Amino acid sequence: MIPPQEASVRRREIEDKLKQEEETLSFIRDSLEKSDQLTKNMVSILSSFESRLMKLENSIIPVHKQTENLQRLQENVEKTLSCLDHVISYYHVASDTEKIIREGPTGRLEEYLGCMAKIQKAVEYFQDNNPDSPELNRVKFLFERGKESLESEFRSLMTRHSKVVSPVLILDLISGEDDMEAPDDVPLDHLSESVLHDVIRISRWLVEYGRNQDFMNVYYQIRSSQLDRSIKGLKEHFRKSSSSSGVPYSPAIPNKRKDTPTKKPIKRPGTIRKAQNLLKQYSQHGLDGKKGGSNLIPLEGRDDMLDMEIDAYIHCVSAFVKLAQSEYQLLTDIIPEHHQKKTFDSLIQDALDGLMMEGENIVSVARKAIIRHDYSAVLTVFPILRHLKQTKPEFDQVLQGTAASTKNKLPGLITSMETTGAKALEDFADNIKNDPDKEYNMPKDGTVHELTSNAILFLQQLLDFQETAGAMLASQETSSSATSYNSEFSKRLLSTYICKVLGNLQLNLLSKSKVYEDPALRAIFLHNNYNYILKSLEKSELIHLVAVTQKTAERSYRDHIEQQIQTYQRSWLKVTDYISEKNLPVFQPGVKLRDKERQMIKERFKGFNDGLEELCKIQKAWAIPDTEQRDKIRQAQKTIVKENYGAFLHRYASVPFTKNPEKYIKYRVEQVADMIERLFDTSA
């Protein structure tokens, strides 16, 4: 059992807790009542607000719809006014633009094109909406007038600003072709940037809006004239400068001229001038071939004008390629793409025809010269033909897209030159063989015949043009081997040709030598010519080309030379026979000679003296230009004569065969040697 005291305490605690709970419950009830009251108030407010919103909406929606209608009406009015302004503006285009159209586009192209655009739109409007309007005729008239002014401006710009390219600039442009280092770009600003911009704008407008192609004819006519004049100016530059030394060449690029040395000319060996130099060179080396004549016109003495013409033509060909390339680059900016090839074809015709005509003239001159047997003229064809063939790939590239007739002009000229060159080569070989024996033209001293020197000089030119000459010969071949033409085949053909010329020359020289009655002079003549041929072959390296098909040519010439020396030496037998041991009288020392023996000794001395004097007098006027050969022949003859005469003199000088020994013993051995030493020396 719980004690009464604890139970009383417990009851009080429970009563206190209950009292607290009751107070809490009473507070909650009060709060709920307040909340309900607030809710009721809020519901009342919201209901009132909703009612007001509905009233507002019912008032605003009709106003909004009315406002939208008003805005739409306003927009329609504005659009109508804008359309009216736009339409009205077309009626003012003529008056607004007439002054500008009348004054032309010069100096204000963009403004002018803007006016033309307005006029064009006006024309389109009236055509679509009011074709019977007088305004249509007016704007059409302005449009046509404006188009004519643009065409006139195009012509004026092209005429005023298209300048001939100076020879100096052209030479700078083409001078880098043979340089080892990459050449500096030499710009060709045919038109300034501003002018080019205007020309392009006008051309595009004329194509797109003007429906006009006449300006393309204007363009190619003006540019064609400038191209042709530029090339002719270069040729005239060469002609005016021909009196100065060397090939006229411009300095380097203009902005470097003060510090940059003059560029070297394009190398073109094998000219007439080279033939002259070779002739002088061999004259200095004792291989002069100027005495004696032939029906072949000599290579020497040609005017330097011929070299100038060759140089000028070759440079004009290179200039045409470079200038044509530059013209095409300019044309692509101005002319519509589908008209570019045709316009370019027309543009280059005059300049190209001029080059081809000049080339045909060169061929014609060469043909006429060949008829006259002037084979030096064909040398003009070789450097030109070689340059044309070297330039042909660039030519073909430049002429891509042009007409077939245009493309075939250069190949036609090349074929013509090859045919003419081949004919010249064959005629030259035939004339070498058939050159007549003219006694009055034969060298009196037996020196090198002019036919020989001309033939060798001509052949030496072929060294610089082996491929070209080989191609000429191959072009006339009809055998199957010619179809597989290559450099080796060309070399063999040229070697065969040179051997043919040399063979014909040798046969002709043998025939000519018969003009000489004296066998010794005949031998000297053949010796000089054979020696000249051999030395010339060796000096010019022609011998290597000959050896391609004739391995023993060098040895053969040396044998011929030695054979002629031996033939010459036999001329001295009539001198040495007098003093030879055969048929000399035999006598005993101290025994008195019989009259017959004394007379025989006298005759031997007299025969030797007379023969020696006669030979020395005759042969002194003969010539052996080659110092080495002259000394060799003299020395050999001195040795033979000195030995025989020394022995003869030793045997009979002390023999009393005469009372006047000085009458018969006229020369000492040394004197005889000195006389022989003066042989072949007209100056002695």
Side-chain angles (χ1 to χ4, degrees), residues 535-565:
K535 290 294 180 66
S536 298
L537 292 178
E538 291 174 337
K539 283 179 179 293
S540 64
E541 298 184 359
L542 268 171
I543 194 67
H544 300 307
L545 195 54
V546 170
V548 172
T549 55
Q550 189 63 264
K551 304 291 185 184
T552 61
E554 185 175 0
R555 186 173 73 243
S556 176
Y557 274 110
R558 295 194 186 281
D559 291 343
H560 287 319
I561 292 170
E562 190 59 36
Q563 181 182 351
Q564 298 308 319
I565 292 176

PDB file of all heavy atoms in Angstrom, residues 535-565:
ATOM      1  N   LYS A 535      93.593  19.703-137.428  1.00  0.00           N
ATOM      2  CA  LYS A 535      93.757  20.600-136.288  1.00  0.00           C
ATOM      3  C   LYS A 535      92.429  21.269-135.913  1.00  0.00           C
ATOM      4  O   LYS A 535      92.116  21.430-134.724  1.00  0.00           O
ATOM      5  CB  LYS A 535      94.805  21.676-136.606  1.00  0.00           C
ATOM      6  CG  LYS A 535      96.216  21.153-136.689  1.00  0.00           C
ATOM      7  CD  LYS A 535      96.706  20.656-135.340  1.00  0.00           C
ATOM      8  CE  LYS A 535      98.128  20.135-135.394  1.00  0.00           C
ATOM      9  NZ  LYS A 535      99.104  21.197-135.683  1.00  0.00           N
ATOM     10  N   SER A 536      91.650  21.626-136.917  1.00  0.00           N
ATOM     11  CA  SER A 536      90.356  22.256-136.645  1.00  0.00           C
ATOM     12  C   SER A 536      89.406  21.281-135.966  1.00  0.00           C
ATOM     13  O   SER A 536      88.676  21.652-135.038  1.00  0.00           O
ATOM     14  CB  SER A 536      89.738  22.759-137.949  1.00  0.00           C
ATOM     15  OG  SER A 536      90.561  23.736-138.548  1.00  0.00           O
ATOM     16  N   LEU A 537      89.412  20.049-136.409  1.00  0.00           N
ATOM     17  CA  LEU A 537      88.566  19.033-135.779  1.00  0.00           C
ATOM     18  C   LEU A 537      88.945  18.857-134.316  1.00  0.00           C
ATOM     19  O   LEU A 537      88.084  18.744-133.436  1.00  0.00           O
ATOM     20  CB  LEU A 537      88.688  17.699-136.515  1.00  0.00           C
ATOM     21  CG  LEU A 537      88.120  17.636-137.935  1.00  0.00           C
ATOM     22  CD1 LEU A 537      88.359  16.251-138.529  1.00  0.00           C
ATOM     23  CD2 LEU A 537      86.634  17.952-137.948  1.00  0.00           C
ATOM     24  N   GLU A 538      90.242  18.835-134.051  1.00  0.00           N
ATOM     25  CA  GLU A 538      90.711  18.622-132.676  1.00  0.00           C
ATOM     26  C   GLU A 538      90.424  19.842-131.796  1.00  0.00           C
ATOM     27  O   GLU A 538      89.999  19.695-130.650  1.00  0.00           O
ATOM     28  CB  GLU A 538      92.207  18.318-132.687  1.00  0.00           C
ATOM     29  CG  GLU A 538      92.548  16.966-133.311  1.00  0.00           C
ATOM     30  CD  GLU A 538      94.043  16.744-133.439  1.00  0.00           C
ATOM     31  OE1 GLU A 538      94.789  17.749-133.464  1.00  0.00           O
ATOM     32  OE2 GLU A 538      94.463  15.589-133.511  1.00  0.00           O
ATOM     33  N   LYS A 539      90.652  21.020-132.325  1.00  0.00           N
ATOM     34  CA  LYS A 539      90.465  22.222-131.516  1.00  0.00           C
ATOM     35  C   LYS A 539      88.996  22.449-131.167  1.00  0.00           C
ATOM     36  O   LYS A 539      88.659  22.916-130.085  1.00  0.00           O
ATOM     37  CB  LYS A 539      91.018  23.445-132.257  1.00  0.00           C
ATOM     38  CG  LYS A 539      92.534  23.565-132.239  1.00  0.00           C
ATOM     39  CD  LYS A 539      92.980  24.791-133.005  1.00  0.00           C
ATOM     40  CE  LYS A 539      94.503  24.936-132.966  1.00  0.00           C
ATOM     41  NZ  LYS A 539      95.003  25.227-131.616  1.00  0.00           N
ATOM     42  N   SER A 540      88.111  22.130-132.092  1.00  0.00           N
ATOM     43  CA  SER A 540      86.688  22.385-131.871  1.00  0.00           C
ATOM     44  C   SER A 540      85.949  21.179-131.322  1.00  0.00           C
ATOM     45  O   SER A 540      84.737  21.226-131.158  1.00  0.00           O
ATOM     46  CB  SER A 540      86.031  22.798-133.194  1.00  0.00           C
ATOM     47  OG  SER A 540      86.086  21.729-134.118  1.00  0.00           O
ATOM     48  N   GLU A 541      86.649  20.091-131.074  1.00  0.00           N
ATOM     49  CA  GLU A 541      86.050  18.854-130.568  1.00  0.00           C
ATOM     50  C   GLU A 541      85.091  18.219-131.578  1.00  0.00           C
ATOM     51  O   GLU A 541      84.299  17.349-131.238  1.00  0.00           O
ATOM     52  CB  GLU A 541      85.326  19.083-129.243  1.00  0.00           C
ATOM     53  CG  GLU A 541      86.253  19.548-128.129  1.00  0.00           C
ATOM     54  CD  GLU A 541      85.538  19.688-126.795  1.00  0.00           C
ATOM     55  OE1 GLU A 541      84.324  19.435-126.755  1.00  0.00           O
ATOM     56  OE2 GLU A 541      86.200  20.031-125.809  1.00  0.00           O
ATOM     57  N   LEU A 542      85.188  18.662-132.835  1.00  0.00           N
ATOM     58  CA  LEU A 542      84.420  17.980-133.878  1.00  0.00           C
ATOM     59  C   LEU A 542      84.874  16.543-134.032  1.00  0.00           C
ATOM     60  O   LEU A 542      84.099  15.681-134.451  1.00  0.00           O
ATOM     61  CB  LEU A 542      84.584  18.714-135.215  1.00  0.00           C
ATOM     62  CG  LEU A 542      83.558  19.789-135.571  1.00  0.00           C
ATOM     63  CD1 LEU A 542      83.989  20.551-136.814  1.00  0.00           C
ATOM     64  CD2 LEU A 542      82.184  19.198-135.768  1.00  0.00           C
ATOM     65  N   ILE A 543      86.131  16.300-133.661  1.00  0.00           N
ATOM     66  CA  ILE A 543      86.683  14.952-133.827  1.00  0.00           C
ATOM     67  C   ILE A 543      85.884  13.924-133.030  1.00  0.00           C
ATOM     68  O   ILE A 543      85.728  12.772-133.446  1.00  0.00           O
ATOM     69  CB  ILE A 543      88.188  14.938-133.420  1.00  0.00           C
ATOM     70  CG1 ILE A 543      88.861  13.664-133.909  1.00  0.00           C
ATOM     71  CG2 ILE A 543      88.340  15.134-131.922  1.00  0.00           C
ATOM     72  CD1 ILE A 543      88.970  13.582-135.405  1.00  0.00           C
ATOM     73  N   HIS A 544      85.349  14.341-131.859  1.00  0.00           N
ATOM     74  CA  HIS A 544      84.559  13.412-131.038  1.00  0.00           C
ATOM     75  C   HIS A 544      83.235  13.076-131.715  1.00  0.00           C
ATOM     76  O   HIS A 544      82.755  11.946-131.624  1.00  0.00           O
ATOM     77  CB  HIS A 544      84.297  14.016-129.661  1.00  0.00           C
ATOM     78  CG  HIS A 544      85.547  14.326-128.895  1.00  0.00           C
ATOM     79  ND1 HIS A 544      86.537  13.384-128.675  1.00  0.00           N
ATOM     80  CD2 HIS A 544      85.981  15.478-128.303  1.00  0.00           C
ATOM     81  CE1 HIS A 544      87.520  13.939-127.975  1.00  0.00           C
ATOM     82  NE2 HIS A 544      87.210  15.214-127.751  1.00  0.00           N
ATOM     83  N   LEU A 545      82.668  14.064-132.383  1.00  0.00           N
ATOM     84  CA  LEU A 545      81.415  13.820-133.096  1.00  0.00           C
ATOM     85  C   LEU A 545      81.661  12.947-134.324  1.00  0.00           C
ATOM     86  O   LEU A 545      80.863  12.061-134.638  1.00  0.00           O
ATOM     87  CB  LEU A 545      80.793  15.160-133.506  1.00  0.00           C
ATOM     88  CG  LEU A 545      79.331  15.146-133.952  1.00  0.00           C
ATOM     89  CD1 LEU A 545      78.452  14.482-132.899  1.00  0.00           C
ATOM     90  CD2 LEU A 545      78.845  16.560-134.215  1.00  0.00           C
ATOM     91  N   VAL A 546      82.776  13.194-135.005  1.00  0.00           N
ATOM     92  CA  VAL A 546      83.131  12.364-136.162  1.00  0.00           C
ATOM     93  C   VAL A 546      83.348  10.918-135.727  1.00  0.00           C
ATOM     94  O   VAL A 546      82.937   9.970-136.412  1.00  0.00           O
ATOM     95  CB  VAL A 546      84.392  12.920-136.849  1.00  0.00           C
ATOM     96  CG1 VAL A 546      84.917  11.944-137.897  1.00  0.00           C
ATOM     97  CG2 VAL A 546      84.096  14.273-137.484  1.00  0.00           C
ATOM     98  N   ALA A 547      83.966  10.750-134.547  1.00  0.00           N
ATOM     99  CA  ALA A 547      84.318   9.411-134.070  1.00  0.00           C
ATOM    100  C   ALA A 547      83.093   8.566-133.735  1.00  0.00           C
ATOM    101  O   ALA A 547      83.223   7.348-133.578  1.00  0.00           O
ATOM    102  CB  ALA A 547      85.220   9.521-132.837  1.00  0.00           C
ATOM    103  N   VAL A 548      81.924   9.181-133.634  1.00  0.00           N
ATOM    104  CA  VAL A 548      80.710   8.403-133.350  1.00  0.00           C
ATOM    105  C   VAL A 548      80.481   7.362-134.435  1.00  0.00           C
ATOM    106  O   VAL A 548      80.080   6.226-134.162  1.00  0.00           O
ATOM    107  CB  VAL A 548      79.487   9.338-133.227  1.00  0.00           C
ATOM    108  CG1 VAL A 548      78.199   8.531-133.126  1.00  0.00           C
ATOM    109  CG2 VAL A 548      79.638  10.244-132.017  1.00  0.00           C
ATOM    110  N   THR A 549      80.756   7.732-135.693  1.00  0.00           N
ATOM    111  CA  THR A 549      80.546   6.792-136.802  1.00  0.00           C
ATOM    112  C   THR A 549      81.837   6.473-137.555  1.00  0.00           C
ATOM    113  O   THR A 549      81.843   5.570-138.388  1.00  0.00           O
ATOM    114  CB  THR A 549      79.525   7.368-137.804  1.00  0.00           C
ATOM    115  OG1 THR A 549      79.957   8.663-138.231  1.00  0.00           O
ATOM    116  CG2 THR A 549      78.152   7.473-137.172  1.00  0.00           C
ATOM    117  N   GLN A 550      82.910   7.213-137.285  1.00  0.00           N
ATOM    118  CA  GLN A 550      84.173   6.983-137.996  1.00  0.00           C
ATOM    119  C   GLN A 550      85.311   6.977-136.982  1.00  0.00           C
ATOM    120  O   GLN A 550      85.905   8.000-136.671  1.00  0.00           O
ATOM    121  CB  GLN A 550      84.388   8.094-139.030  1.00  0.00           C
ATOM    122  CG  GLN A 550      85.540   7.862-139.986  1.00  0.00           C
ATOM    123  CD  GLN A 550      85.342   6.648-140.855  1.00  0.00           C
ATOM    124  OE1 GLN A 550      85.846   5.576-140.534  1.00  0.00           O
ATOM    125  NE2 GLN A 550      84.585   6.801-141.942  1.00  0.00           N
ATOM    126  N   LYS A 551      85.589   5.809-136.450  1.00  0.00           N
ATOM    127  CA  LYS A 551      86.561   5.688-135.356  1.00  0.00           C
ATOM    128  C   LYS A 551      87.981   6.023-135.791  1.00  0.00           C
ATOM    129  O   LYS A 551      88.788   6.501-134.997  1.00  0.00           O
ATOM    130  CB  LYS A 551      86.526   4.266-134.792  1.00  0.00           C
ATOM    131  CG  LYS A 551      85.152   3.801-134.313  1.00  0.00           C
ATOM    132  CD  LYS A 551      84.706   4.547-133.083  1.00  0.00           C
ATOM    133  CE  LYS A 551      83.399   3.988-132.535  1.00  0.00           C
ATOM    134  NZ  LYS A 551      82.891   4.775-131.391  1.00  0.00           N
ATOM    135  N   THR A 552      88.320   5.745-137.046  1.00  0.00           N
ATOM    136  CA  THR A 552      89.717   5.874-137.494  1.00  0.00           C
ATOM    137  C   THR A 552      89.976   7.180-138.226  1.00  0.00           C
ATOM    138  O   THR A 552      90.987   7.306-138.916  1.00  0.00           O
ATOM    139  CB  THR A 552      90.069   4.694-138.406  1.00  0.00           C
ATOM    140  OG1 THR A 552      89.208   4.719-139.558  1.00  0.00           O
ATOM    141  CG2 THR A 552      89.893   3.370-137.678  1.00  0.00           C
ATOM    142  N   ALA A 553      89.087   8.144-138.111  1.00  0.00           N
ATOM    143  CA  ALA A 553      89.229   9.377-138.887  1.00  0.00           C
ATOM    144  C   ALA A 553      90.520  10.113-138.565  1.00  0.00           C
ATOM    145  O   ALA A 553      91.242  10.558-139.465  1.00  0.00           O
ATOM    146  CB  ALA A 553      88.032  10.287-138.630  1.00  0.00           C
ATOM    147  N   GLU A 554      90.850  10.220-137.289  1.00  0.00           N
ATOM    148  CA  GLU A 554      92.054  10.961-136.893  1.00  0.00           C
ATOM    149  C   GLU A 554      93.307  10.297-137.451  1.00  0.00           C
ATOM    150  O   GLU A 554      94.183  10.964-138.017  1.00  0.00           O
ATOM    151  CB  GLU A 554      92.120  11.048-135.370  1.00  0.00           C
ATOM    152  CG  GLU A 554      93.259  11.899-134.861  1.00  0.00           C
ATOM    153  CD  GLU A 554      93.230  12.065-133.344  1.00  0.00           C
ATOM    154  OE1 GLU A 554      92.301  11.509-132.709  1.00  0.00           O
ATOM    155  OE2 GLU A 554      94.131  12.742-132.817  1.00  0.00           O
ATOM    156  N   ARG A 555      93.396   8.974-137.292  1.00  0.00           N
ATOM    157  CA  ARG A 555      94.571   8.257-137.802  1.00  0.00           C
ATOM    158  C   ARG A 555      94.662   8.366-139.320  1.00  0.00           C
ATOM    159  O   ARG A 555      95.748   8.510-139.894  1.00  0.00           O
ATOM    160  CB  ARG A 555      94.514   6.788-137.385  1.00  0.00           C
ATOM    161  CG  ARG A 555      95.782   6.020-137.766  1.00  0.00           C
ATOM    162  CD  ARG A 555      95.811   4.616-137.210  1.00  0.00           C
ATOM    163  NE  ARG A 555      94.862   3.751-137.931  1.00  0.00           N
ATOM    164  CZ  ARG A 555      93.818   3.181-137.353  1.00  0.00           C
ATOM    165  NH1 ARG A 555      93.572   3.382-136.069  1.00  0.00           N
ATOM    166  NH2 ARG A 555      93.004   2.412-138.046  1.00  0.00           N
ATOM    167  N   SER A 556      93.508   8.339-139.969  1.00  0.00           N
ATOM    168  CA  SER A 556      93.484   8.437-141.425  1.00  0.00           C
ATOM    169  C   SER A 556      94.041   9.776-141.889  1.00  0.00           C
ATOM    170  O   SER A 556      94.843   9.826-142.837  1.00  0.00           O
ATOM    171  CB  SER A 556      92.055   8.251-141.922  1.00  0.00           C
ATOM    172  OG  SER A 556      91.985   8.432-143.312  1.00  0.00           O
ATOM    173  N   TYR A 557      93.656  10.865-141.231  1.00  0.00           N
ATOM    174  CA  TYR A 557      94.180  12.172-141.612  1.00  0.00           C
ATOM    175  C   TYR A 557      95.679  12.273-141.348  1.00  0.00           C
ATOM    176  O   TYR A 557      96.423  12.874-142.143  1.00  0.00           O
ATOM    177  CB  TYR A 557      93.436  13.285-140.871  1.00  0.00           C
ATOM    178  CG  TYR A 557      92.166  13.726-141.566  1.00  0.00           C
ATOM    179  CD1 TYR A 557      90.919  13.436-141.025  1.00  0.00           C
ATOM    180  CD2 TYR A 557      92.217  14.414-142.770  1.00  0.00           C
ATOM    181  CE1 TYR A 557      89.743  13.824-141.671  1.00  0.00           C
ATOM    182  CE2 TYR A 557      91.049  14.817-143.423  1.00  0.00           C
ATOM    183  CZ  TYR A 557      89.820  14.510-142.869  1.00  0.00           C
ATOM    184  OH  TYR A 557      88.670  14.886-143.521  1.00  0.00           O
ATOM    185  N   ARG A 558      96.125  11.697-140.263  1.00  0.00           N
ATOM    186  CA  ARG A 558      97.572  11.730-139.972  1.00  0.00           C
ATOM    187  C   ARG A 558      98.337  10.950-141.041  1.00  0.00           C
ATOM    188  O   ARG A 558      99.436  11.363-141.447  1.00  0.00           O
ATOM    189  CB  ARG A 558      97.839  11.147-138.585  1.00  0.00           C
ATOM    190  CG  ARG A 558      97.234  11.987-137.463  1.00  0.00           C
ATOM    191  CD  ARG A 558      97.781  11.607-136.106  1.00  0.00           C
ATOM    192  NE  ARG A 558      97.086  12.321-135.051  1.00  0.00           N
ATOM    193  CZ  ARG A 558      97.327  13.579-134.704  1.00  0.00           C
ATOM    194  NH1 ARG A 558      98.256  14.260-135.348  1.00  0.00           N
ATOM    195  NH2 ARG A 558      96.643  14.159-133.728  1.00  0.00           N
ATOM    196  N   ASP A 559      97.776   9.848-141.506  1.00  0.00           N
ATOM    197  CA  ASP A 559      98.424   9.077-142.572  1.00  0.00           C
ATOM    198  C   ASP A 559      98.480   9.886-143.865  1.00  0.00           C
ATOM    199  O   ASP A 559      99.502   9.887-144.571  1.00  0.00           O
ATOM    200  CB  ASP A 559      97.666   7.766-142.806  1.00  0.00           C
ATOM    201  CG  ASP A 559      97.806   6.797-141.640  1.00  0.00           C
ATOM    202  OD1 ASP A 559      98.725   6.993-140.814  1.00  0.00           O
ATOM    203  OD2 ASP A 559      96.991   5.855-141.547  1.00  0.00           O
ATOM    204  N   HIS A 560      97.377  10.580-144.168  1.00  0.00           N
ATOM    205  CA  HIS A 560      97.361  11.410-145.378  1.00  0.00           C
ATOM    206  C   HIS A 560      98.396  12.524-145.283  1.00  0.00           C
ATOM    207  O   HIS A 560      99.095  12.825-146.276  1.00  0.00           O
ATOM    208  CB  HIS A 560      95.972  12.030-145.567  1.00  0.00           C
ATOM    209  CG  HIS A 560      94.921  11.057-146.006  1.00  0.00           C
ATOM    210  ND1 HIS A 560      95.153  10.089-146.949  1.00  0.00           N
ATOM    211  CD2 HIS A 560      93.614  10.911-145.643  1.00  0.00           C
ATOM    212  CE1 HIS A 560      94.051   9.378-147.151  1.00  0.00           C
ATOM    213  NE2 HIS A 560      93.103   9.862-146.348  1.00  0.00           N
ATOM    214  N   ILE A 561      98.511  13.141-144.123  1.00  0.00           N
ATOM    215  CA  ILE A 561      99.488  14.224-143.932  1.00  0.00           C
ATOM    216  C   ILE A 561     100.904  13.709-144.119  1.00  0.00           C
ATOM    217  O   ILE A 561     101.734  14.316-144.818  1.00  0.00           O
ATOM    218  CB  ILE A 561      99.313  14.851-142.528  1.00  0.00           C
ATOM    219  CG1 ILE A 561      97.974  15.594-142.448  1.00  0.00           C
ATOM    220  CG2 ILE A 561     100.460  15.803-142.206  1.00  0.00           C
ATOM    221  CD1 ILE A 561      97.594  16.028-141.044  1.00  0.00           C
ATOM    222  N   GLU A 562     101.205  12.563-143.522  1.00  0.00           N
ATOM    223  CA  GLU A 562     102.546  11.979-143.639  1.00  0.00           C
ATOM    224  C   GLU A 562     102.838  11.579-145.078  1.00  0.00           C
ATOM    225  O   GLU A 562     103.968  11.746-145.569  1.00  0.00           O
ATOM    226  CB  GLU A 562     102.654  10.755-142.718  1.00  0.00           C
ATOM    227  CG  GLU A 562     104.059  10.209-142.582  1.00  0.00           C
ATOM    228  CD  GLU A 562     105.036  11.245-142.026  1.00  0.00           C
ATOM    229  OE1 GLU A 562     104.632  12.044-141.161  1.00  0.00           O
ATOM    230  OE2 GLU A 562     106.210  11.243-142.471  1.00  0.00           O
ATOM    231  N   GLN A 563     101.833  11.079-145.759  1.00  0.00           N
ATOM    232  CA  GLN A 563     102.008  10.683-147.155  1.00  0.00           C
ATOM    233  C   GLN A 563     102.355  11.889-148.021  1.00  0.00           C
ATOM    234  O   GLN A 563     103.234  11.800-148.899  1.00  0.00           O
ATOM    235  CB  GLN A 563     100.719  10.026-147.652  1.00  0.00           C
ATOM    236  CG  GLN A 563     100.789   9.548-149.103  1.00  0.00           C
ATOM    237  CD  GLN A 563      99.476   8.942-149.551  1.00  0.00           C
ATOM    238  OE1 GLN A 563      98.574   8.723-148.761  1.00  0.00           O
ATOM    239  NE2 GLN A 563      99.370   8.665-150.844  1.00  0.00           N
ATOM    240  N   GLN A 564     101.721  13.030-147.769  1.00  0.00           N
ATOM    241  CA  GLN A 564     102.016  14.230-148.553  1.00  0.00           C
ATOM    242  C   GLN A 564     103.401  14.789-148.219  1.00  0.00           C
ATOM    243  O   GLN A 564     104.083  15.321-149.107  1.00  0.00           O
ATOM    244  CB  GLN A 564     100.936  15.293-148.302  1.00  0.00           C
ATOM    245  CG  GLN A 564      99.526  14.881-148.718  1.00  0.00           C
ATOM    246  CD  GLN A 564      99.460  14.378-150.134  1.00  0.00           C
ATOM    247  OE1 GLN A 564     100.088  14.922-151.048  1.00  0.00           O
ATOM    248  NE2 GLN A 564      98.693  13.302-150.329  1.00  0.00           N
ATOM    249  N   ILE A 565     103.815  14.642-146.963  1.00  0.00           N
ATOM    250  CA  ILE A 565     105.177  15.070-146.601  1.00  0.00           C
ATOM    251  C   ILE A 565     106.203  14.249-147.379  1.00  0.00           C
ATOM    252  O   ILE A 565     107.194  14.780-147.912  1.00  0.00           O
ATOM    253  CB  ILE A 565     105.399  14.935-145.085  1.00  0.00           C
ATOM    254  CG1 ILE A 565     104.533  15.958-144.331  1.00  0.00           C
ATOM    255  CG2 ILE A 565     106.868  15.124-144.732  1.00  0.00           C
ATOM    256  CD1 ILE A 565     104.613  15.826-142.819  1.00  0.00           C
TER     257      ILE A 565
END
